[in-house]
Amino acid sequence: MNRLPIATRINILNMLVEGVSMRSIARIADVSPNSVDKLLREAGKACLAIHDQEVRNVTATRVQCDEIWSFCYAKQKNVPNAKAAPPEAGDVWTWTAIEAQSKLLISWFVGDRTVVSAVLLMEDLKTRLANRVQLTTDGHSPYLQAVEDAFGADIDYAQLVKIYGEAPAAPGQARYSPAQIVAAERKRIEGSPDPAHISTSMVERHNLTIRMSLRRFTRLTNGFSKRLENHIHAFAVQAIHYNFIRIHKTLRVSPAMAAGVSKTLWSWENVIDRIDAMAPPPKPRGPYKPRSPKGP
C-alpha cells in the first residue's frame, strides 16, 4: 500500500487545522487533492476512535454547551434548486460541550437543531463524566428535554437566555450582523447551580476557535463541506488537535492535560500511529501472469 511520508502527512494535518483549504494544501504539499481527501478520511476515523476511547471518566466542575451553524453542499434555502444535492445537504449544526476550567471539549455531535440531536449530545456527555456537574446552555428549548432524559435530577442545570434588541435596519447589516444583546436572563432549571457561574462564554469562545481553525465553518466561504462525512471527519481532527496536541495559551498545557485525561502532550505521530493501526491489511496479490506476445 502506497502511503505518504510521515513528514508530509504531518504537514497536511497541520494545515487542515489551520484553516487552509484542501486544494491549497494539495498545491503546498505537492500532492494530489485525492491524497489530501484520503488522509482526511483516515485521520477523521482515527480521531473519532481516539476521542471515544480517551475522553472518558472526566472529572469536571462546570460544563457549557452550545451549537454552531454551518452547511453541507448548499445552504438550506438553496437546496431545492441545487443540482444532484445529497440527502444530507443543507444546514448542519455541531453541538459541543466544554468544561469551563480545563477548556476540554468533552462531547460533540454533528446533526440538525432538533431535540433528537440534543438528546444524543447529552446522553454521550453523561457517559463521559465522572461526577455531578453544573451545566449551562442557552435558551434553545430542545435542551430542556435532552438534559432531563440524560441526567434526570443528577445535575445542577441553568439556562442563560439572551434577549436581543431590534435587528439592524439596513438589509446588508441584517444579513451579516446579529441584533444587539440588550439583556441576559439566568434561569435555574434543575438542582442548585451557582448563579455566579451561569455562563456560556467559554463555549462561545470555542465557537470562534472552530471558525478560525476550520475553513468549512468560515462565513462567506467557498470552502464549505460538500459531503457530510468529510465535515464530521474534519471536525474530529480539529477536536483531537484542540484537546491533545495544541498548547492552550492560557493553560500553558493542552486541555486534555489540564483535565487529567492525558499526562503528556500528544503529537500528530500519535494520530498517524492510530491511522496505520486501523488501516486494512494489504490484499494478497495474485500469481504473476506473463503477457502473451503480440502478433505481427
Side-chain angles (χ1 to χ4, degrees):
M1 181 185 297
N2 293 328
R3 291 177 179 168
L4 294 173
I6 291 180
T8 302
R9 288 193 278 177
I10 291 175
N11 190 29
I12 291 172
L13 291 171
N14 273 323
M15 288 189 283
L16 282 172
V17 297
E18 292 295 345
V20 184
S21 68
M22 293 180 67
R23 290 193 177 274
S24 297
I25 293 173
R27 291 191 293 269
I28 295 170
D30 194 23
V31 298
S32 71
N34 289 340
S35 296
V36 180
D37 181 76
K38 180 174 180 291
L39 179 59
L40 172 63
R41 286 184 278 111
E42 292 174 344
K45 293 175 183 178
C47 289
L48 285 169
I50 291 171
H51 182 87
D52 188 59
Q53 176 182 332
E54 299 293 334
V55 186
R56 294 284 179 184
N57 200 32
V58 178
T59 301
T61 304
R62 300 189 301 274
V63 177
Q64 301 177 7
C65 295
D66 198 12
E67 62 282 354
I68 180 172
W69 172 85
S70 55
F71 66 95
C72 175
Y73 195 83
K75 292 181 179 179
Q76 195 66 46
K77 64 179 181 180
N78 298 327
V79 170
N81 297 325
K83 295 182 180 179
E88 64 270 18
D91 291 348
V92 176
W93 291 87
T94 303
W95 302 66
T96 58
I98 283 191
E99 211 286 318
Q101 289 182 302
S102 66
K103 313 297 189 296
L104 180 73
L105 178 60
I106 303 174
S107 181
W108 57 274
F109 178 75
V110 177
D112 54 21
R113 207 169 181 237
T114 65
V115 68
V116 175
S117 295
V119 168
L120 290 172
L121 174 78
M122 290 301 164
E123 288 180 347
D124 183 71
L125 175 63
K126 172 65 175 178
T127 63
R128 298 182 187 277
L129 293 173
N131 58 291
R132 182 184 179 114
V133 299
Q134 174 168 329
L135 175 68
T136 306
T137 71
D138 58 22
H140 191 39
S141 58
Y143 282 117
L144 296 172
Q145 178 181 335
V147 175
E148 175 65 25
D149 290 349
F151 293 93
D154 188 25
I155 196 167
D156 300 312
Y157 175 40
Q159 285 190 338
L160 183 68
V161 181
K162 295 179 180 178
I163 302 171
Y164 294 89
E166 296 182 0
Q173 293 178 350
R175 181 179 179 184
Y176 304 121
S177 301
Q180 184 177 2
I181 298 175
V182 296
E185 182 181 357
R186 293 173 171 83
K187 291 185 177 181
R188 187 197 70 84
I189 307 298
E190 185 66 55
S192 302
D194 184 352
H197 295 295
I198 299 176
S199 171
T200 56
S201 298
M202 295 300 176
V203 70
E204 290 173 358
R205 177 57 183 83
H206 184 252
N207 288 348
L208 175 61
T209 299
I210 294 172
R211 292 201 185 277
M212 295 296 291
S213 302
L214 286 179
R215 184 168 172 79
R216 299 164 188 270
F217 286 80
T218 305
R219 299 184 184 275
L220 303 178
T221 180
N222 61 355
F224 55 87
S225 297
K226 313 305 185 294
R227 290 175 290 179
L228 183 61
E229 181 185 20
N230 275 10
H231 190 87
I232 296 172
H233 288 159
F235 191 87
V237 173
Q238 195 274 342
I240 294 301
H241 177 258
Y242 171 82
N243 273 345
F244 291 90
I245 299 175
R246 194 183 77 167
I247 296 177
H248 195 284
K249 287 187 176 180
T250 302
L251 302 173
R252 299 185 181 276
V253 293
S254 69
M257 294 173 68
V261 172
S262 175
K263 295 181 179 179
T264 60
L265 185 68
W266 285 36
S267 67
W268 284 122
E269 282 86 348
N270 299 102
V271 177
I272 292 174
D273 288 344
R274 181 61 68 93
I275 292 173
D276 293 342
M278 294 176 61
K283 296 180 180 179
R285 296 187 178 184
Y288 173 73
K289 294 180 180 181
R291 293 183 180 180
S292 57
K294 296 182 179 179

